[in-house]
Amino acid sequence: MKKVGIDLDGAVADFCLSFSKLLREKFRDHIPIVTDKEQVLSWDWHHWVPITEEEYNKSWTYLKETPNFW
């Protein structure tokens, strides 16, 4: 039997804070830490956070390989 979870309110976890900390830690000190979802200008982070496409892709790879990211 498979179990399926459904997110009803749009907030499964605070992804923005964790992901912005990851970007800052891995790439640059001047990347802003996102503490409020209103700071997110686009879900394509590499369009508004000063990182390269390569850094953006590396961060997703790192994130997927980190079992306790959340």
Side-chain angles (χ1 to χ4, degrees), residues 19-30:
F19 193 59
S20 64
K21 285 181 177 180
L22 168 74
L23 294 175
R24 187 179 186 122
E25 176 187 316
K26 291 289 177 191
F27 303 113
R28 302 207 175 96
D29 288 341
H30 65 278

Side-chain angles (χ1 to χ4, degrees), residues 33-64:
I33 299 296
V34 179
T35 57
D36 184 338
K37 67 180 180 180
E38 300 302 318
Q39 292 174 269
V40 178
L41 306 177
S42 165
W43 291 111
D44 290 327
W45 285 58
H46 64 290
H47 289 284
W48 65 275
V49 173
I51 59 174
T52 66
E53 185 74 21
E54 181 181 4
E55 290 169 334
Y56 179 75
N57 291 332
K58 282 181 180 179
S59 63
W60 278 103
T61 300
Y62 178 80
L63 178 123
K64 288 186 256 182

Side-chain angles (χ1 to χ4, degrees), residues 1-6:
M1 173 189 263
K2 290 186 178 184
K3 294 182 180 181
V4 177
I6 299 172

